[in-house]
Amino acid sequence: MRMREMKHSMKNRNRSGWVRLLAAALVLCVTGYALPGLTLNAQAAEIGSVLHFAEHGIKAYVEGWLYAGAGKGEQVKDENGNLTRQSDCAGLLYAYFTDNKMSAPAGGATSQVTYNCAFNGDLDELYGIPRIHGLAVTAPDYRDPETGIYGHIGIYIGNGEAVDNSTYGVNMRRQAISENSSWNAWHLFDNGLRYPTSGWYSMNGAMYHYTDYQYDVDTQVDGYQIGSDGVAYGEDGAPIPVDNSMENEGYASASQVASYLSSLGYSGKDSTYELIYGGGSEDPDPEYNGKITGNEVRLRSEPNTNSSVVTHMSKGTKVKILTEVEGESISNGGQASAKWYQVVTSSGKEGYVSAWFAEYVSNGNGGTTTELKAPSVMVSGSTVLLSTSTVGGNIYFTTDGTQPSEANGMIYTGPELTMGCTYRAVTEKDGKLSEVTTVTVTGNGMLFTDVTDKDWFFSAVDETVRREIFNGSGTNEFGPNGLMTRAMLMTVLARLDGVDTTGEPWYSKGLEWAVSNGVSDGSTPHGQITREQLVTMLYRYAGAQPGSPETLNGFADAGRVSGYALDAMRWATENKIIQGNEGNRVEPKAEATRAEVAVMMQRFLHLAG
């Protein structure tokens, strides 16, 4: 009940807040006033966060970066002889990522979205844009979509505004999204950028309060009034000064934020393709019987990598497959294939592409591959079964992560498969293949479509599921990127202690056990658990002795561990229950994902014997 109410509330807040944000932005732009909290000499947010990314866009606007086609942030002199930098629209983003040693494709707007994006959405009336600083915004490319469906890109800086390096003679712009009708989509990047979770954060000289990954508007928090722009104001009506002691040090990954936005009703997709091609993701002309499955795929003049490049094609580009030919053998995923397709693009460009990077989307008679049903996977006793409803179709499968096909894979002839690995399977009929079914079967026969046996956390998921510590989070899903609450962990530990946790509500017995055994004080059971809270509960459950400070002190952010969690974190790092994330950080205040909790629980179980 609480989750439904929260989702409904957040949707309503987003809709009404979006209208207020646009209205406020328009008034400010018309009257010429500067927005509070967006100043030149602002204190910077933490490097690598989307807040710092948004600051980069504001700073480029204030510094007057010049527009240059294919510019990537190079330093140049302006017309007055002053040093500045130059970029095109995608180069503005590229410059930030390379400045901060993050993943950065060198192509245009489509490359940025294709390589970096974890979650998309439309700037529509229903949901608008999430209240997250540092999202990317894009416009369609109606002129030459074959080179990429996104024609322009900018950085969302909050309060309904975006900055972008526009074109020659215009250069950097900062304006309300509503003033530029070409913007149609937003994108959540997953290239190392980190996202605020809940609490106070500073950006560009102002304080913002985030709740569940979005900054608050039109409310009061800790006695401060939050305006429609998201800025915190004091009693005098001025933005409160930046106070680092207020700031939350916790950040989330893009996948965590994407999972939460999905729970609020965001689709995770934008309609740019449909806008360009006039409706439907499938081209209405049945002669376009194939599509490109890779990113920035080269169309070659001959079926080999030494021939000239005719054009570059984006993922999802529709092509007409003329014939299959044998060409240069190309390796992919440890497998090699000499099969190439001779194709024609919608603009009439003809050439060859390796079959690794293209596939049929229709059967050559106008019917799509949905007529070929992908195999289903079932578990009976200790045996994995594959089946298909396609009459006369064969099933081919692989267990090494490669693409199954008649040429690459084993034909399924009976129930001889075993548990504990990931299967990829297709249905084949008349030389055409269905979509691929990918499913991981755990040691106790649970099926997961969002986990593979190549994932860093697979053995932990397999063991914790087999030991009935974890269950799935949905139909055939484990939800590795989902977050855990304190109530969930209390219940898990109570089960480990042999407690029957059935009851109403579901967490009541676990909470009662945790409080009575000193594992937790039982406060805010529905709050998402942080890494330091997790190890503290494990430490108390184990009745362990404090570890030595030396191991913890070797981590870059050891000083951020709360006082109450120091003994537990020292114990956890000394016993390798926590081994540190990228950058040699224990990230004590980061919220723990289900995958991370499974791994830590596995290490704890092995430690306890």
Side-chain angles (χ1 to χ4, degrees):
M1 181 66 181
R2 181 179 180 275
M3 179 58 73
R4 289 196 295 269
E5 291 171 353
M6 180 176 68
K7 289 164 68 174
H8 179 72
S9 172
M10 289 298 291
K11 288 180 182 179
N12 286 340
R13 283 175 58 193
N14 214 7
R15 287 195 284 268
S16 60
W18 176 242
V19 174
R20 288 194 296 271
L21 286 173
L22 287 180
L26 285 171
V27 170
L28 289 165
C29 288
V30 170
T31 59
Y33 289 115
L35 290 174
L38 300 179
T39 57
L40 174 61
N41 58 349
Q43 180 171 342
E46 185 169 333
I47 293 174
S49 71
V50 287
L51 301 171
H52 194 251
F53 182 41
E55 286 181 336
H56 162 79
I58 298 168
K59 187 170 182 286
Y61 168 76
V62 174
E63 291 178 348
W65 284 27
L66 302 177
Y67 181 88
K72 299 291 189 293
E74 302 85 0
Q75 195 171 67
V76 295
K77 289 185 178 180
D78 62 17
E79 59 185 10
N80 299 317
N82 299 316
L83 284 175
T84 184
R85 299 176 74 178
Q86 66 179 14
S87 73
D88 59 10
C89 65
L92 172 65
L93 285 69
Y94 178 88
Y96 178 80
F97 300 141
T98 54
D99 285 351
N100 294 284
K101 297 179 174 58
M102 300 171 69
S103 173
T110 296
S111 291
Q112 289 285 1
V113 174
T114 301
Y115 282 94
N116 287 337
C117 189
F119 202 77
N120 303 347
D122 286 328
L123 296 172
D124 56 26
E125 295 180 359
L126 179 59
Y127 292 117
I129 188 169
R131 294 190 307 277
I132 301 174
H133 298 97
L135 298 174
V137 290
T138 57
D141 188 352
Y142 295 100
R143 300 164 301 171
D144 190 16
E146 185 156 323
T147 62
I149 62 174
Y150 301 103
H152 195 61
I153 194 165
I155 303 172
Y156 182 64
I157 59 174
N159 196 33
E161 281 195 312
V163 294
D164 65 299
N165 208 345
S166 173
T167 188
Y168 294 103
V170 178
N171 303 314
M172 288 294 303
R173 298 182 300 186
R174 170 177 165 179
Q175 59 185 175
I177 289 177
S178 59
E179 291 184 351
N180 185 345
S181 59
S182 62
W183 297 126
N184 78 289
W186 56 267
H187 311 274
L188 183 85
F189 275 7
D190 186 18
N191 63 327
L193 284 172
R194 293 174 295 118
Y195 294 78
T197 55
S198 294
W200 289 101
Y201 297 84
S202 66
M203 189 198 79
N204 211 50
M207 295 297 294
Y208 296 82
H209 190 273
Y210 270 74
T211 300
D212 292 334
Y213 312 109
Q214 298 190 87
Y215 64 81
D216 296 313
V217 296
D218 297 326
T219 188
Q220 282 195 342
V221 179
D222 296 338
Y224 299 110
Q225 181 64 41
I226 309 296
S228 60
D229 54 4
V231 173
Y233 294 89
E235 293 181 356
D236 59 357
I240 65 174
V242 170
D243 184 350
N244 296 126
S245 67
M246 295 172 59
E247 289 196 71
N248 182 356
E249 298 169 346
Y251 286 89
S253 66
S255 58
Q256 291 173 251
V257 181
S259 177
Y260 183 74
L261 292 179
S262 179
S263 75
L264 297 182
Y266 289 100
S267 67
K269 300 178 181 179
D270 67 272
S271 59
T272 303
Y273 190 99
E274 288 82 354
L275 286 173
I276 292 174
Y277 290 104
S281 59
E282 297 295 331
D283 196 297
D285 189 342
E287 71 175 346
Y288 290 97
N289 59 348
K291 70 176 180 180
I292 301 302
T293 58
N295 297 315
E296 295 295 304
V297 173
R298 296 172 177 85
L299 182 65
R300 298 280 186 175
S301 60
E302 300 294 337
N304 60 71
T305 57
N306 293 322
S307 60
S308 60
V309 177
V310 179
T311 189
H312 290 77
M313 299 176 291
S314 301
K315 187 175 183 178
T317 299
K318 293 295 172 18
V319 294
K320 184 197 308 183
I321 297 179
L322 301 178
T323 186
E324 298 176 10
V325 300
E326 185 172 345
E328 178 185 352
S329 180
I330 302 295
S331 296
N332 186 37
Q335 300 292 317
S337 173
K339 184 166 72 172
W340 289 64
Y341 294 127
Q342 183 183 15
V343 305
V344 176
T345 69
S346 59
S347 62
K349 295 177 180 178
E350 185 173 338
Y352 297 85
V353 60
S354 168
W356 285 120
F357 309 117
E359 67 182 11
Y360 281 97
V361 296
S362 72
N363 62 15
N365 298 313
T368 66
T369 54
T370 54
E371 296 176 3
L372 286 177
K373 301 298 183 183
S376 60
V377 182
M378 298 168 287
V379 175
S380 176
S382 59
T383 305
V384 180
L385 305 175
L386 300 176
S387 67
T388 181
S389 58
T390 300
V391 178
N394 294 318
I395 296 176
Y396 292 91
F397 71 94
T398 60
T399 58
D400 60 0
T402 59
Q403 184 86 358
S405 65
E406 185 175 4
N408 175 48
M410 297 170 279
I411 188 169
Y412 179 70
T413 58
E416 72 275 6
L417 306 183
T418 58
M419 299 182 188
C421 66
T422 300
Y423 295 94
R424 305 192 76 199
V426 295
T427 303
E428 180 276 335
K429 183 179 180 182
D430 299 329
K432 304 299 184 291
L433 301 176
S434 71
E435 294 183 351
V436 178
T437 294
T438 302
V439 65
T440 297
V441 186
T442 65
N444 68 338
M446 291 195 73
L447 305 178
F448 293 133
T449 58
D450 57 352
V451 171
T452 77
D453 57 8
K454 303 296 187 294
D455 289 325
W456 61 272
F457 50 81
F458 174 71
S459 67
V461 170
D462 189 37
E463 181 170 356
T464 53
V465 167
R466 280 191 287 108
R467 297 179 67 157
E468 298 183 351
I469 295 173
F470 275 94
N471 290 314
S473 64
T475 304
N476 291 346
E477 291 183 348
F478 178 78
N481 296 318
L483 300 176
M484 283 195 69
T485 65
R486 286 182 277 277
M488 291 177 183
L489 188 63
M490 293 177 201
T491 303
V492 164
L493 294 178
R495 289 174 184 161
L496 275 179
D497 207 38
V499 175
D500 180 0
T501 60
T502 56
E504 293 294 337
W506 61 268
Y507 61 88
S508 59
K509 297 290 182 63
L511 188 149
E512 179 183 347
W513 169 88
V515 172
S516 63
N517 285 275
V519 172
S520 170
D521 62 6
S523 61
T524 57
H526 298 297
Q528 290 162 347
I529 195 164
T530 65
R531 288 162 62 86
E532 66 179 5
Q533 291 167 350
L534 168 62
V535 298
T536 298
M537 291 173 69
L538 291 179
Y539 173 73
R540 292 171 179 170
Y541 173 83
Q545 295 299 312
S548 63
E550 285 75 15
T551 306
L552 176 59
N553 291 342
F555 291 93
D557 57 347
R560 295 184 174 182
V561 178
S562 300
Y564 78 87
L566 270 174
D567 285 345
M569 191 63 79
R570 289 166 178 166
W571 164 79
T573 53
E574 185 175 274
N575 289 282
K576 301 188 183 303
I577 292 173
I578 280 189
Q579 298 180 7
N581 290 339
E582 184 177 353
N584 192 35
R585 299 159 62 94
V586 292
E587 297 189 4
K589 293 175 175 57
E591 293 163 343
T593 66
R594 285 169 57 84
E596 289 173 334
V597 176
V599 169
M600 283 188 260
M601 286 300 302
Q602 182 188 44
R603 293 169 182 164
F604 175 71
L605 292 171
H606 290 182
L607 177 68

